[in-house]
């Protein structure tokens, strides 16, 4: 019976050793799986963080760009107001020209041509006397509504008002005003 007992003890011991080997192999496999899962989780975390940093930078750049555009638009709007006011003041200054300068303006506007006899010439009353001296052949008359001068002959009216001149030359005047007012700015 002792042989049976030895045999049983041997089988039990072999089973215990085998169980420990299986348990050790399972623990090693579990450790490897855990390490793989942890590595995959760490890689995923790094990827998510990189994306978050990239998206944050992109959003920051968009906000800065939008703000820069907003500032630029506001600056352009304010420049437009300054140019508009400058043109308005220039138009008002034209209406207050001294009589000699006004007649010089008329000569340049007429490009040296003579005013035919019988042509009505309407001017502001403040210029009437000076205009009659410079253009004796014209039938000059005062008209409060005229800011420059008007020629009327045969039912055709040639409008040389300062308002019309400013409207006609507006684009060019805006460009000149912008260059003069803002040439030192960035």
């Amino acid at each position: 019976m002792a042989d049976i007992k030895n045999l049983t003890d041997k089988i039990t011991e072999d089973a215990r050793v085998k169980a420990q080997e299986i348990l050790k192999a399972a623990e090693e496999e579990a450790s490897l799986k855990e390490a793989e899962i942890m590595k995959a989780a760490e890689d995923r975390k790094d990827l998510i963080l990189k994306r978050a940093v990239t998206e944050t930078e992109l959003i920051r750049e968009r906000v800065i760009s939008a703000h820069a555009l907003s500032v630029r638009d506001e600056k352009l709007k304010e420049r437009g107001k300054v140019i508009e006011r400058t043109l308005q003041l220039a138009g008002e200054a034209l209406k207050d020209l001294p009589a000699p300068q006004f007649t010089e303006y008329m000569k340049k506007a007429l490009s040296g041509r003579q005013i035919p006899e019988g042509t009505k010439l309407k001017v502001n009353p403040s210029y009437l006397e000076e205009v009659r001296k410079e253009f004796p052949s014209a039938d000059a008359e005062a008209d409060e509504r005229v800011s420059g001068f008007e020629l009327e002959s045969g039912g055709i009216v040639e409008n040389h008002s300062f308002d019309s001149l400013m409207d006609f030359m507006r684009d060019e005047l805006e460009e000149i005003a912008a260059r003069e007012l803002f040439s030192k700015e960035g």
Side-chain angles (χ1 to χ4, degrees), residues 71-135:
V71 168
R72 186 207 67 191
D73 289 348
E74 193 61 35
K75 196 175 184 181
L76 287 174
K77 188 186 334 178
E78 290 305 314
R79 281 183 176 187
K81 288 178 184 177
V82 169
I83 289 171
E84 186 63 37
R85 180 68 179 138
T86 302
L87 292 178
Q88 181 184 8
L89 290 172
E92 290 171 11
L94 283 173
K95 292 175 185 176
D96 293 333
L97 277 178
Q101 286 181 326
F102 178 77
T103 56
E104 283 303 310
Y105 159 72
M106 284 183 64
K107 288 176 187 176
K108 286 180 183 175
L110 294 170
S111 304
R113 67 183 182 166
Q114 294 298 314
I115 299 175
E117 198 156 322
T119 300
K120 282 187 184 178
L121 174 60
K122 293 181 183 180
V123 296
N124 190 286
S126 59
Y127 302 126
L128 187 60
E129 189 178 315
E130 188 78 23
V131 168
R132 282 186 174 153
K133 286 181 199 171
E134 287 292 328
F135 303 97

Side-chain angles (χ1 to χ4, degrees), residues 3-166:
D3 284 339
I4 291 186
K5 174 124 176 93
N6 284 342
L7 188 58
T8 332
D9 286 342
K10 173 86 172 131
I11 292 173
T12 305
E13 187 58 33
D14 286 346
R16 195 172 313 150
V17 170
K18 187 72 170 165
Q20 283 182 348
E21 287 175 5
I22 292 172
L23 187 58
K24 188 177 178 182
E27 285 175 356
E28 286 176 4
E29 189 176 328
S31 288
L32 286 174
K33 285 276 187 198
E34 181 183 3
E36 281 179 29
I37 291 170
M38 290 303 287
K39 171 97 172 87
E42 194 67 31
D43 291 346
R44 180 112 171 103
K45 178 189 87 169
D46 290 344
L47 180 64
I48 291 170
L49 287 175
K50 283 180 185 176
R51 283 183 183 163
V53 167
T54 302
E55 287 178 18
T56 302
E57 185 61 27
L58 188 63
I59 290 169
R60 186 181 78 75
E61 288 174 9
R62 285 181 184 160
V63 167
I64 290 170
S65 178
H67 180 69
L69 286 174
S70 174
V71 168
R72 186 207 67 191
D73 289 348
E74 193 61 35
K75 196 175 184 181
L76 287 174
K77 188 186 334 178
E78 290 305 314
R79 281 183 176 187
K81 288 178 184 177
V82 169
I83 289 171
E84 186 63 37
R85 180 68 179 138
T86 302
L87 292 178
Q88 181 184 8
L89 290 172
E92 290 171 11
L94 283 173
K95 292 175 185 176
D96 293 333
L97 277 178
Q101 286 181 326
F102 178 77
T103 56
E104 283 303 310
Y105 159 72
M106 284 183 64
K107 288 176 187 176
K108 286 180 183 175
L110 294 170
S111 304
R113 67 183 182 166
Q114 294 298 314
I115 299 175
E117 198 156 322
T119 300
K120 282 187 184 178
L121 174 60
K122 293 181 183 180
V123 296
N124 190 286
S126 59
Y127 302 126
L128 187 60
E129 189 178 315
E130 188 78 23
V131 168
R132 282 186 174 153
K133 286 181 199 171
E134 287 292 328
F135 303 97
S137 65
D139 180 16
E141 60 182 60
D143 188 339
E144 283 286 335
R145 298 170 294 157
V146 178
S147 65
F149 67 95
E150 289 181 1
L151 295 171
E152 186 178 337
S153 178
I156 297 173
V157 177
E158 229 179 278
N159 185 356
H160 292 271
S161 72
F162 293 134
D163 294 334
S164 296
L165 175 66
M166 293 292 285

Side-chain angles (χ1 to χ4, degrees), residues 159 161-174:
N159 185 356
S161 72
F162 293 134
D163 294 334
S164 296
L165 175 66
M166 293 292 285
D167 287 344
F168 178 73
M169 297 184 67
R170 183 166 194 82
D171 290 342
E172 185 179 337
L173 292 171
E174 283 178 352

